[in-house]
Amino acid sequence: MIGGLFCYNHKGEVLISRVYRDDIGRNAVDAFRVNVIHARGQVRSPVTNIARTSYFHIKRSNLWLAAVTKQNVNATMVFEFLLKVVEVMQNYFGKISEENVKNNFVLIYELLDEIVDFGYPQNTDTGVLKTFITQQGVKSVTKEEQAAITSQVTGQIGWRREGIKYRRNELFLDVMEYVNLLMSPQGQVLSAHVAGKILMKSYLSGMPECKFGINDKIAMDSKGKPAEESKTKSAIAIDDCQFHQCVKLSKFETEHSISFIPPDGEHELMRYRTTKDISLPFRVIPLVREVGRSKLEVKVVVKSSFKPSLLAQKLEIRIPTPLNTSGVQLICMKGKAKYKASENAIVWKIKRMGGMKESQISAEIELLETETKKKWTRPPISMNFEVPFAPSGFKVRYLKVFEPKLNYSDHDVIKWVRYIGRSGLYETRC
Amino acid sequence: MPAVRGDGMRGLAVFISDIRNCKSKEAEIKRINKELANIRSKFKGDKTLDGYQKKKYVCKLLFIFLLGHDIDFGQIEAVNLLSSNKYTEKQIGYLFISVLISGNSELIQLIVQSIKNDLASRNPVHVSLALQCIANIGSKDMAEAFGQEIPKLLVSGDTLDVVKQSAALCLLRLFRTDPSVIPSGEWTSRIVHLLNDQHMGVVTAAASLIDALVKKNPEEYKGCISLAVSRLSRIVTSSYTDFQDYTYYFVPAPWLSVKLLRLLQNYPPPEDPGVRGRLSECLETILNKAQEPPKSKKIQHSNAKNAVLFEAISLIIHNDSEPNLLVRACNQLGQFLSHRETNLRYLALESMCILATSEFSHEAVKKHQETVINALKTERDVSVRQRAVDLLYAMCDKSNAEEIVLEMLAYLETADYSIREEMVLKVAILAEKYATDYKWYVDVILNLIRLAGDYVSEEVWYRVIQIVINRDDVQGYAAKTVFEALQAQACHENMVKVGGYILGEFGNLIAGDARSSPAVQLQLLHSKFHLCSSMTRALLLSTYVKFVNLFPEIKSHVEEIFVADSNLRSADAELQQRASEYLALSKLTSLDVLATVLEEMPPFPEKESSGLLNLLKKKRPGRVIENPDRLDEHVKKEPRETNGTSGLTLASNTEQEGGSADLLGLGVPSAGNGNGPTTNGAGAVTNNIQKFYCKNNGVLYENDIIQIGVKTECRSNLARLALFYGNKTNHPFMNFQPNVSASPALSLAILLQVKQVDSTVEAGAQFQQMVNVECVNDFDEQPDLNLVYNYNGAPQTVNIKLPISINKFIEPTEMNGEAFFSRWKNLSLPAQESQKIFKAAHPMEATDSTKAKLIGYGFQLLENIDPNPDNYVCAGIIHTRSLQIGCLLRLEPNKQAQIYRLTTRSSREAVSQHISAVLCQQF
């Protein structure tokens, strides 16, 4: 039970304050400001207990969003809810910023009234919310429409309304993966995992029932032909996954098949995580040499290890520099490199890079001798990139659409599948 | 461009405005990182920077540091700035150093050199800068490096006044870190004579320095009194036009006056009549000036004037010798009591509290009682109300007690929660101290509980019960009043406790009235029973069982209550035990037994409610103003029992064998100490080790600050000692370490097992330490108890013996004459017998006390065995782990000669000798 929801700007001024339950007093708003936003030391914990009241906060671009409660609630539920609130707001008015929140506060209060009732989160699906909370002025709703909204919000399939019609039935599927890596200077993988999600954009008529097949090891084994398929190694082991509310979980549990009636428009169908057999797209090889007390030589090699036919984009390698750097000279074979004093790092950017290639940068860092004998801790070198494949090996095997009432079949639907691999926290120690 | 190159430092201004414009913390950090990198590259660069640039970058670093970031470079540049000749550059250099240099920096040598150069400089501004830097760093190193030079600067004739001023303050700072920095001897008079300096600034600075010096060493600087008085009189008698620069809103030199007045408060009133007269004149003038119409309407004027006035009043109070001044001060304060300014009212009340304690002005303070009570009622500021309560407490005496207590009670209803507990204590103390009529006292306390039950601490209601029990005349009234109070719909749990206790004791006194018949009383109490905590329920159960004794006609009702599942099978072990024991008591025993067990409580030893006072002190340490009448009363302090439950386990104690009536804050030591000393004159040290041969419980050791009590329980060859340490003072004992040890020979004979205790004993607290002893073999020594603790900073030690001797392990043995004499004969070897003939130290006629001593020693007294009825015959068996030693004893008094003959026989030679050696000192 969420007692209330507050939104502050970076100065701690209250932008939005909505209290759902009586046990949250007026001073709760100030308590969070005083004890967290204006705290002397930075508050790292996302959950703060102040005078028997719990505050759960997240930060989004200089805004603080805090849920407050006096009860013993499920903390993960609250954070999930906060993230949903952010998502809903983004869907309504784009980027979350102080400006936007101020401009849309009437809408935000309207949304907050709808998505939480007496502290219990309700429907947070933007698609549904948009049917009755619109941004175009006041529109008188007819009785039938009102009834339709009520039956839909309270009905079994709350995420999709009836009577949707498209001339062209289309369906887009994005497999988006984030690779996280921590590697030792010698090239040993210390930890690696992939967090993936499947985003689906559907423009389908009627109430179509979809069936979705992936190369999950368990699902494929249960299909009865384990011998041949798992030998080809195309199946992957998914550590854990979660689905959009439209997926019928009972069916997934019994038959390992993913079937659902999708919401109209965009939604996140599935989220998953894998830790085994990840194909790492890049390797970073650092070489650091200290020349006396006033100089440091750094050489970094980046090697791509995927099919030469593919092209990685938006590469950015960030090499941290010591805090007493007084000057940097850089030579790089490809791309552009710059010393960014404001971030205490050398940033090396490469627009594109093919598979099975390598590139190198060398830097001479001059140091200023200082009072303190503190040794520089050498933070890891981090990297950002985007590649057109799924590093976990995830594959969409099929996506079938059935709509028994309308006369279009699976073949009439145009389907698009795209794989994107991005860097999460991709770091190499040096 | 020279325009930019002024003091403006445009780069710095731009940087600061950049930072101010940052939208978020992250942006700020980015900007700072960029600036730091820029400064690093500038400092690293091979081209040399000019002074302006260095100053600018050092300034930026300073600003970044003040924003909370670590700065670990730039020190060299800052030190370089010190050698610049430009004031601004030098100033920034010093600023950086005083803010950022740590004491153990390598650069400190360089800095010290620079400062030395500047101190020797002829430019006074440079000297002042250096002095400021020394004072700002103020480390021990600085004190050592410049301890010689600064005093010279201070007293030298050709130093400028401004520099002298700085030097005095700098020296004060160094003196605070290292008192040895000020040289004594000839310097003393030269420093003191600074008070005569022409320049007021120098005098003001010197007054601060001298004040600090005087606090350290009052004797040496005694010369300053007359100088300060004459200086003061010159200021006070001057008109405001005399000191142009040092007149603040028409008040001449207010700061200096205040400092001088403070300085004088370090000494008793001056002995020299001339000086004394001058001082009184000054103080009178200050009081006169307060009456003059203000010269300005500005707040600063009245603030400055009042500051001097209040300091003067403090001095008058401190001196406490001139009655007319005290009375005038009091009248002046009385005017302030109704002043518009809240601060003035506060200060007036605060000063009056102190005035009330002076014998001269106590009466004068009392005149303002109306105003103070009014302040209590109408004042808006809670802190002022608090002071008003303090003052009422302080000015209370016999004549006005009733009125003040009534007013405070009335105010309690609306009082702030923060001061309620304190007020309750004050009311309780005043009511008790000035009670002429105990009915009134009982009324007051019951009202107190009714109005502010939550804030009534245990001690308060313990106390009212003690008083009711000790005074026969109020018992009936008290019973009637509590009965009426309990009839209220909602009454506080503390009221139920008091009510339960008093009705249990004296319910019979009001039982005659049909409206408060026994059944009604029981019903009334029981209607509250279910709303109370288990502590109170336990007390109520005791009350019920007392009702069984008092009113046999309602016995069946009471038994029903005991039988109820919620009591007899209560989850609370205490309640369950009481219910079942009381039930058995009321069902099984005869009326006689019942009447004995449930007899009325014996009166408590009379004592002050020092428990309450201690509590008050604990609540507001350092702030408690004594009620003046206390000063001439004899103050007795008893250790308070801190064992939380003891107060309520009373009733069950009464039915336990040998239970001591331990209730209401009576410590175990004083309770079990029937014939021991209960009061001690100041400084008396009591060490009762001898007495413990014949008794098990009592006070073992007592002096002004600590009391040690002992309770011993023995069973065959095992003994358990409970040592009670009571802190009789208002300060906690630190590092409290009781250490029990035995000599090597003794440690073979007994095994000691000592529980560890906390190292701190709170003021007025008492706690218990258990010592387990097992007797392995016979012994004749006693273990040592070495107590080490810090009281008020001073280490204290107490070395005493623990009262464990072989007789603690004697089991009394009953036998007839025949058996006794046959055994007596069996032990006829000369080594087994020990005989002593000694003079009687106590009256021989008191056979009862002699018998009690023998029994207390551990023996069974065998009567009618010896042919001579005057002789005492005893037998016992000493249990050790390895063997049992039979002991027989005959004590034959010779009344004509006033001597005793003591014969002891036992199977061990050492035992006989030891017993007779010990016992011969007891009779």
Side-chain angles (χ1 to χ4, degrees):
Chain A
M1 303 110 271
I2 295 162
L5 195 92
F6 306 131
C7 178
Y8 305 83
N9 66 8
H10 70 283
K11 289 182 204 147
E13 292 161 350
V14 185
L15 302 179
I16 299 287
S17 151
R18 178 74 175 87
V19 174
Y20 294 107
R21 293 174 83 100
D22 291 341
D23 54 0
I24 301 301
R26 287 181 155 268
N27 48 4
V29 196
D30 298 322
F32 181 75
R33 188 205 2 254
V34 171
N35 289 296
V36 179
I37 303 181
H38 292 164
R40 249 157 223 261
Q42 196 190 0
V43 176
R44 285 243 174 82
S45 160
V47 183
T48 322
N49 257 304
I50 307 162
R52 292 199 213 141
T53 313
S54 311
Y55 294 82
F56 306 79
H57 75 262
I58 57 172
K59 269 191 90 175
R60 283 291 176 276
S61 63
N62 281 338
L63 290 191
W64 299 75
L65 207 62
V68 49
T69 181
K70 283 227 162 170
Q71 265 121 352
N72 187 10
V73 293
N74 183 343
T76 51
M77 182 275 277
V78 177
F79 283 112
E80 182 67 28
F81 168 76
L82 286 175
L83 295 174
K84 278 281 178 202
V85 169
V86 170
E87 192 188 307
V88 167
M89 292 206 279
Q90 273 170 340
N91 279 330
Y92 267 91
F93 51 78
K95 195 173 166 276
I96 295 213
S97 65
E98 188 179 344
E99 187 79 7
N100 272 344
V101 169
K102 278 181 177 165
N103 288 338
N104 291 290
F105 80 93
V106 178
L107 172 73
I108 293 174
Y109 277 114
E110 211 175 335
L111 285 170
L112 289 180
D113 280 347
E114 196 56 48
I115 57 183
V116 183
D117 192 5
F118 194 48
Y120 296 95
Q122 309 289 312
N123 199 342
T124 53
D125 191 287
T126 325
V128 180
L129 285 171
K130 277 198 170 164
T131 60
F132 51 90
I133 299 180
T134 56
Q135 279 165 291
Q136 300 96 24
V138 185
K139 182 181 78 176
S140 63
V141 190
T142 63
K143 265 219 172 113
E144 292 85 67
E145 277 174 321
Q146 188 108 47
I149 288 174
T150 312
S151 77
Q152 198 222 323
V153 171
T154 54
Q156 217 176 5
I157 303 172
W159 57 87
R160 189 180 180 92
R161 67 193 164 88
E162 290 198 44
I164 300 170
K165 273 224 169 74
Y166 288 102
R167 236 158 25 108
R168 225 154 68 128
N169 289 306
E170 255 183 319
L171 198 148
F172 300 86
L173 216 54
D174 281 356
V175 176
M176 186 96 89
E177 292 197 340
Y178 290 91
V179 204
N180 298 287
L181 170 78
L182 182 65
M183 197 178 247
S184 75
Q186 289 76 33
Q188 206 179 352
V189 176
L190 300 174
S191 87
H193 74 271
V194 169
K197 56 185 177 183
I198 296 166
L199 298 173
M200 185 172 170
K201 207 183 256 183
S202 64
Y203 301 106
L204 300 170
S205 311
M207 293 296 259
E209 173 124 16
C210 300
K211 230 176 161 186
F212 182 47
I214 54 174
N215 60 339
D216 176 21
K217 217 175 221 167
I218 306 167
M220 307 235 323
D221 288 354
S222 67
K223 283 283 162 13
K225 30 182 180 176
E228 24 174 321
E229 288 228 31
S230 54
K231 255 179 209 162
T232 58
K233 272 216 161 180
S234 61
I236 61 160
I238 287 179
D239 286 20
D240 53 54
C241 58
Q242 66 191 81
F243 296 103
H244 188 262
Q245 57 166 338
C246 65
V247 175
K248 288 167 186 156
L249 288 179
S250 54
K251 257 194 176 163
F252 179 73
E253 252 148 51
T254 53
E255 301 166 25
H256 293 290
S257 72
I258 305 166
S259 73
F260 55 96
I261 296 168
D264 195 38
E266 203 177 319
H267 72 285
E268 186 187 298
L269 178 64
M270 176 184 180
R271 244 186 246 186
Y272 60 91
R273 200 168 64 91
T274 70
T275 47
K276 288 207 185 75
D277 301 326
I278 297 164
S279 67
L280 297 169
F282 290 98
R283 240 204 96 184
V284 176
I285 305 155
L287 254 171
V288 182
R289 205 159 68 89
E290 281 177 47
V291 189
R293 282 188 63 191
S294 61
K295 207 166 180 190
L296 201 66
E297 280 182 6
V298 181
K299 205 159 101 180
V300 177
V301 182
V302 179
K303 279 186 182 168
S304 60
S305 48
F306 45 88
K307 271 189 269 174
S309 57
L310 297 174
L311 210 58
Q313 283 185 316
K314 298 178 193 167
L315 273 76
E316 187 187 289
I317 295 109
R318 177 176 291 264
I319 305 157
T321 54
L323 293 174
N324 54 346
T325 305
S326 62
V328 178
Q329 269 97 49
L330 295 163
I331 308 166
C332 61
M333 287 155 41
K334 215 175 165 197
K336 276 179 190 161
K338 205 179 165 190
Y339 166 57
K340 288 205 169 165
S342 60
E343 287 150 50
N344 283 325
I346 297 165
V347 179
W348 178 25
K349 283 182 177 167
I350 304 170
K351 278 198 180 124
R352 266 177 227 96
M353 190 172 181
M356 307 310 270
K357 292 240 168 67
E358 73 170 69
S359 188
Q360 185 185 314
I361 186 174
S362 51
E364 254 181 41
I365 302 172
E366 281 176 66
L367 302 174
L368 184 77
E369 285 178 42
T370 59
E371 280 271 284
T372 45
K373 310 280 180 300
K374 253 192 298 180
K375 211 167 174 280
W376 182 48
T377 47
R378 291 198 189 182
I381 296 173
S382 62
M383 184 174 181
N384 288 318
F385 55 81
E386 197 178 303
V387 289
F389 62 93
S392 68
F394 186 94
K395 287 260 154 43
V396 176
R397 286 175 55 229
Y398 58 82
L399 180 67
K400 291 174 192 155
V401 181
F402 308 98
E403 169 53 346
K405 283 184 194 153
L406 296 173
N407 53 349
Y408 70 92
S409 70
D410 186 34
H411 301 293
D412 301 331
V413 181
I414 306 161
K415 299 168 195 161
W416 307 86
V417 179
R418 177 165 66 159
Y419 296 93
I420 303 167
R422 282 196 184 139
S423 55
L425 214 58
Y426 203 84
E427 294 179 330
T428 309
R429 289 188 182 156
C430 60
Chain B
M1 283 189 295
V4 182
R5 297 225 141 190
D7 271 352
M9 291 197 279
R10 201 161 150 255
L12 178 68
V14 169
F15 173 61
I16 293 177
S17 75
D18 274 0
I19 294 223
R20 296 246 161 96
N21 288 333
C22 281
K23 281 258 157 56
S24 66
K25 191 111 186 149
E26 289 74 27
E28 185 183 309
I29 290 170
K30 276 190 175 171
R31 180 71 185 89
I32 285 169
N33 280 336
K34 198 175 145 199
E35 194 58 46
L36 283 176
N38 176 35
I39 298 172
R40 281 195 300 260
S41 70
K42 283 284 180 344
F43 282 174
K44 177 80 180 181
D46 299 327
K47 56 179 190 302
T48 46
L49 300 169
D50 62 15
Y52 166 76
Q53 278 173 315
K54 267 187 206 159
K55 179 180 75 171
K56 185 175 77 180
Y57 293 131
V58 166
C59 251
K60 282 183 182 176
L61 287 179
L62 201 53
F63 184 71
I64 293 170
F65 177 77
L66 294 180
L67 284 177
H69 299 264
D70 281 337
I71 298 294
D72 50 7
F73 64 98
Q75 280 87 346
I76 302 267
E77 282 73 14
V79 173
N80 284 343
L81 280 178
L82 295 189
S83 50
S84 161
N85 265 329
K86 277 196 187 130
Y87 171 73
T88 51
E89 286 165 21
K90 208 182 256 295
Q91 182 202 23
I92 295 294
Y94 273 125
L95 187 58
F96 186 91
I97 283 164
S98 37
V99 173
L100 257 156
I101 294 279
S102 55
N104 50 6
S105 165
E106 291 165 4
L107 292 168
I108 209 85
Q109 285 310 317
L110 269 175
I111 296 167
V112 165
Q113 192 50 51
S114 296
I115 294 178
K116 277 209 168 119
N117 292 341
D118 277 339
L119 276 185
S121 155
R122 254 184 287 165
N123 187 343
V125 173
H126 291 183
V127 184
S128 291
L129 274 179
L131 284 170
Q132 273 164 23
C133 181
I134 296 170
N136 276 332
I137 296 177
S139 63
K140 257 206 147 82
D141 291 337
M142 286 289 161
E144 276 162 24
F146 301 107
Q148 298 297 314
E149 289 168 46
I150 298 174
K152 276 185 209 153
L153 264 180
L154 182 60
V155 295
S156 144
D158 42 52
T159 328
L160 280 180
D161 290 335
V162 199
V163 177
K164 267 193 190 172
Q165 220 170 317
S166 297
L169 293 175
C170 180
L171 204 55
L172 173 60
R173 176 69 177 84
L174 293 184
F175 175 73
R176 281 180 188 150
T177 38
D178 179 12
S180 67
V181 73
I182 304 272
S184 53
E186 48 176 329
W187 292 96
T188 309
S189 73
R190 298 176 75 174
I191 289 177
V192 165
H193 274 91
L194 283 173
L195 286 177
N196 266 341
D197 200 285
Q198 292 296 313
H199 191 264
M200 292 296 275
V202 177
V203 184
T204 314
S208 295
L209 176 64
I210 293 171
D211 190 44
L213 291 170
V214 161
K215 286 216 163 72
K216 172 98 187 310
N217 194 351
E219 272 311 304
E220 194 178 339
Y221 289 90
K222 228 172 171 177
C224 70
I225 301 177
S226 60
L227 287 178
V229 170
S230 62
R231 189 86 218 186
L232 187 66
S233 83
R234 258 181 286 158
I235 296 171
V236 168
T237 51
S238 71
S239 94
Y240 63 88
T241 45
D242 292 357
F243 312 93
Q244 276 120 5
D245 287 348
Y246 288 87
T247 299
Y248 179 81
Y249 288 88
F250 306 105
V251 184
W255 279 277
L256 181 54
S257 320
V258 166
K259 278 179 184 173
L260 290 171
L261 287 165
R262 284 227 178 117
L263 181 61
L264 290 172
Q265 281 176 50
N266 291 316
Y267 292 102
E271 285 138 22
D272 179 10
V275 179
R276 197 176 174 141
R278 249 178 127 182
L279 179 60
S280 309
E281 229 169 76
C282 286
L283 294 172
E284 240 167 83
T285 323
I286 293 174
L287 286 174
N288 286 340
K289 275 192 179 173
Q291 298 295 337
E292 288 169 15
K295 292 196 179 66
S296 156
K297 283 218 168 79
K298 289 243 168 67
I299 184 88
Q300 288 94 330
H301 172 69
S302 57
N303 276 350
K305 210 164 100 175
N306 291 331
V308 177
L309 178 62
F310 273 108
E311 212 49 65
I313 291 177
S314 306
L315 182 60
I316 292 172
I317 296 172
H318 170 82
N319 285 349
D320 199 13
S321 55
E322 310 254 352
N324 69 318
L325 276 181
L326 279 165
V327 171
R328 280 197 63 188
C330 183
N331 292 340
Q332 183 61 49
L333 290 175
Q335 287 179 14
F336 284 144
L337 281 185
S338 43
H339 200 275
R340 258 183 323 116
E341 191 70 20
T342 313
N343 290 329
L344 274 184
R345 292 197 298 270
Y346 181 95
L347 289 169
L349 286 168
E350 200 180 28
S351 304
M352 264 206 184
C353 280
I354 313 172
L355 271 179
T357 56
S358 164
E359 50 178 324
F360 299 117
S361 51
H362 185 75
E363 286 305 313
V365 172
K366 270 169 66 183
K367 278 184 215 146
H368 302 288
Q369 189 178 325
E370 278 305 310
T371 334
V372 179
I373 288 172
N374 208 28
L376 193 63
K377 284 177 184 159
T378 55
E379 183 60 52
R380 252 181 287 154
D381 191 309
V382 60
S383 57
V384 181
R385 289 199 294 266
Q386 161 105 54
R387 286 291 89 73
V389 173
D390 286 350
L391 179 54
L392 279 182
Y393 178 70
M395 65 163 66
C396 190
D397 61 14
K398 272 209 170 63
S399 62
N400 55 8
E402 207 150 319
E403 191 185 345
I404 286 182
V405 166
L406 268 184
E407 288 295 343
M408 281 171 90
L409 264 184
Y411 174 61
L412 198 57
E413 260 178 298
T414 50
D416 302 271
Y417 295 103
S418 50
I419 60 169
R420 277 198 187 182
E421 188 175 353
E422 200 187 317
M423 279 196 70
V424 166
L425 278 175
K426 285 185 169 161
V427 171
I429 292 171
L430 290 180
E432 184 189 336
K433 191 190 297 174
Y434 298 113
T436 41
D437 176 5
Y438 278 91
K439 283 182 183 168
W440 175 75
Y441 170 74
V442 169
D443 277 343
V444 167
I445 299 291
L446 290 182
N447 257 329
L448 205 59
I449 296 175
R450 194 169 51 77
L451 290 174
D454 282 339
Y455 300 93
V456 174
S457 54
E458 306 272 274
E459 281 77 3
V460 174
W461 72 264
Y462 286 177
R463 192 68 197 145
V464 68
I465 287 176
Q466 287 183 356
I467 286 179
V468 169
I469 286 182
N470 287 4
R471 311 258 158 196
D472 301 336
D473 44 336
V474 285
Q475 286 164 355
Y477 179 76
K480 189 162 151 280
T481 331
V482 290
F483 180 76
E484 278 160 10
L486 281 175
Q487 275 169 329
Q489 277 296 312
C491 58
H492 194 269
E493 193 166 334
N494 279 339
M495 182 67 93
V496 179
K497 286 179 186 167
V498 177
Y501 200 100
I502 289 184
L503 289 183
E505 294 295 325
F506 311 112
N508 54 336
L509 298 179
I510 55 167
D513 193 332
R515 283 166 298 171
S516 54
S517 68
V520 177
Q521 286 184 29
L522 179 67
Q523 202 200 349
L524 183 65
L525 279 178
H526 201 59
S527 66
K528 317 280 183 199
F529 185 81
H530 301 282
L531 305 170
C532 296
S533 67
S534 54
M535 283 260 278
T536 315
R537 287 187 192 195
L539 187 142
L540 285 180
L541 287 181
S542 304
T543 305
Y544 297 161
V545 81
K546 291 222 161 191
F547 278 166
V548 171
N549 177 38
L550 292 178
F551 318 118
E553 65 268 30
I554 56 166
K555 186 173 171 178
S556 58
H557 294 290
V558 174
E559 281 174 4
E560 266 169 42
I561 294 174
F562 288 145
V563 168
D565 272 359
S566 58
N567 293 329
L568 201 56
R569 293 186 192 160
S570 168
D572 191 309
E574 178 70 30
L575 287 184
Q576 200 184 68
Q577 187 182 357
R578 285 195 188 203
S580 39
E581 283 177 4
Y582 292 161
L583 184 63
L585 192 66
S586 90
K587 276 203 170 147
L588 301 178
T589 51
S590 68
L591 280 179
D592 285 351
V593 175
L594 211 56
T596 323
V597 172
L598 303 173
E599 202 184 3
E600 205 173 281
M601 292 299 294
F604 291 92
E606 285 291 336
K607 61 177 180 181
E608 274 276 331
S609 57
S610 61
L612 297 184
L613 268 176
N614 279 343
L615 216 62
L616 189 60
K617 281 180 186 146
K618 216 186 273 177
K619 248 189 90 55
R620 297 254 312 277
R623 283 232 60 142
V624 174
I625 290 123
E626 293 253 328
N627 189 291
D629 273 23
R630 290 193 53 76
L631 295 175
D632 42 23
E633 272 171 32
H634 175 63
V635 184
K636 264 191 288 180
K637 286 189 183 124
E638 300 262 348
R640 268 188 306 119
E641 173 65 73
T642 48
N643 188 350
T645 53
S646 67
L648 287 168
T649 50
L650 146 83
S652 54
N653 270 348
T654 51
E655 70 208 53
Q656 279 163 11
E657 186 205 356
S660 52
D662 178 17
L663 175 75
L664 313 180
L666 285 174
V668 168
S670 44
N673 188 9
N675 50 353
T678 44
T679 46
N680 287 292
V685 174
T686 325
N687 191 349
N688 292 334
I689 185 71
Q690 280 300 323
K691 295 196 171 115
F692 276 86
Y693 284 113
C694 297
K695 65 178 189 174
N696 286 333
N697 306 329
V699 176
L700 175 61
Y701 178 87
E702 183 165 14
N703 62 13
D704 282 352
I705 43 184
I706 191 168
Q707 185 184 47
I708 306 172
V710 177
K711 206 173 175 180
T712 318
E713 285 171 43
C714 306
R715 183 166 297 155
S716 77
N717 67 327
L718 300 174
R720 189 165 69 172
L721 268 79
L723 294 170
F724 296 88
Y725 301 100
N727 181 347
K728 294 166 70 177
T729 66
N730 300 323
H731 298 277
F733 295 160
M734 311 305 290
N735 286 335
F736 191 82
Q737 288 169 334
N739 194 358
V740 177
S741 60
S743 65
L746 183 59
S747 57
L748 291 175
I750 58 171
L751 296 177
L752 287 165
Q753 200 186 7
V754 186
K755 285 264 166 61
Q756 289 306 308
V757 291
D758 280 350
S759 61
T760 311
V761 187
E762 290 304 330
Q766 184 188 20
F767 75 94
Q768 180 182 358
Q769 182 186 29
M770 301 302 297
V771 180
N772 289 325
V773 187
E774 185 184 356
C775 176
V776 180
N777 221 325
D778 65 281
F779 59 96
D780 49 13
E781 290 177 71
Q782 290 182 315
D784 293 305
L785 173 66
N786 297 320
L787 200 58
V788 186
Y789 59 95
N790 277 354
Y791 163 65
N792 221 349
Q796 309 273 339
T797 49
V798 173
N799 288 326
I800 47 175
K801 296 275 185 194
L802 269 193
I804 276 292
S805 45
I806 189 73
N807 61 299
K808 299 292 177 203
F809 305 100
I810 296 179
E811 185 194 8
T813 326
E814 182 71 63
M815 55 181 75
N816 57 23
E818 199 180 331
F820 178 82
F821 285 109
S822 77
R823 287 181 194 213
W824 185 258
K825 284 187 186 113
N826 279 341
L827 297 168
S828 56
L829 290 175
Q832 289 169 332
E833 188 187 84
S834 163
Q835 195 168 70
K836 286 240 153 80
I837 297 169
F838 54 91
K839 270 235 178 285
H842 299 277
M844 288 183 105
E845 289 71 27
T847 53
D848 282 344
S849 89
T850 311
K851 280 179 187 168
K853 279 179 188 165
L854 285 169
I855 294 171
Y857 192 74
F859 281 114
Q860 178 74 43
L861 188 69
L862 305 172
E863 304 207 47
N864 307 324
I865 285 184
D866 201 277
N868 183 350
D870 284 348
N871 290 356
Y872 307 93
V873 177
C874 301
I877 298 172
I878 296 173
H879 289 264
T880 67
R881 191 204 276 171
S882 44
L883 74 168
Q884 299 185 342
I885 307 164
C887 287
L888 302 173
L889 175 143
R890 285 176 86 183
L891 181 67
E892 294 154 280
N894 182 339
K895 286 183 183 165
Q896 281 83 40
Q898 287 287 312
I899 52 170
Y900 282 109
R901 187 172 73 178
L902 176 73
T903 316
T904 318
R905 287 185 182 185
S906 83
S907 45
R908 283 279 186 130
E909 180 186 356
V911 173
S912 323
Q913 304 239 328
H914 172 68
I915 290 177
S916 55
V918 168
L919 279 182
C920 73
Q921 288 162 8
Q922 298 287 333
F923 303 104

